[in-house]
Amino acid sequence: MTVSYDANYAHQYDNRPVKEMSELRWDFIQSGLGLGRGSRILDVGYGNGAFLKRAEAAGMAIFGIDLHTEDFGIPVVDFDTDLVFDLICFFDSLEHFPDFAPILGLKASCAVVSIPDTPNFILHDPGSWRHFKPGEHLHYFSHRSLDMFMANWGLPVKLLEGHPEDGIRGMLKVHSDAYDNIYTAIYTSAMPGALSR
C-alpha cells in the first residue's frame, strides 16, 4: 500500500495542536541555534505550513517543499533550488522518502529532524509499534544511522538532541511499557562557534 500526499493528507493536521507544536519546535531550535532575523528556513514536507508561519512571525525568510499542491500561503521551492538555507527542517518527513538524492542536493548549514524513535523490539514485534507503516514509512532510522545520513550530507555535528515533542504527542505505550516516541536532533556543518555570522 502506498500513501497519497495530497491536500487531504496536509489537512490532517488542521485538528491537531499545530500552534503548540510549532512553538515547541521553534523553542527547541532556537535553544540550539539562536537563528537571527532574516535567516532562511526551508521546511521539507511542511504540511499546512504552521511551523513556517511561526518562523515567519519571528522574522525568518521561509520556504517550503511538499508533494501536495494546496495553497497554504507558503513560498514554494523545488529540490533543484540554488538557495542556501540556514536551516532545513524535516518534521515527520524524512522517513517517507523513497530516494534521498533530491535531499542531498539541497544546501544548508543546519538541519533539524524529527523521526519516530525506533524501539528495541522492532525486529521481533514490529506490529505492536504504531509507527510501523509499510508503504508510508519507508525508512526506520536509529540514532546512529541518522547521524551517518546527516554526516554523508555534510552536517556531521549533532548540536542538540532529545524528545521534546513527546510532551505533546505522548510517549509510546506498548503493553505495560512506555518508550520514547519522537526523536528530534539538530545537525550542523561546523562547531557552534563557527556558525556566527
Side-chain angles (χ1 to χ4, degrees), residues 11 20 23 37 49 65 80 109 125 144 157 163 171 179 192:
H11 279 291
E20 295 84 354
E23 197 67 38
R37 292 180 67 83
I65 293 176
D80 60 359
S109 55
D125 190 13
R144 179 164 163 68
V157 179
H163 298 86
M171 295 190 73
Y179 299 85

Side-chain angles (χ1 to χ4, degrees), residues 132-146:
F132 182 66
K133 300 178 180 179
E136 182 177 357
H137 290 173
L138 306 179
H139 305 277
Y140 299 97
F141 289 95
S142 66
H143 297 194
R144 179 164 163 68
S145 66
L146 182 61

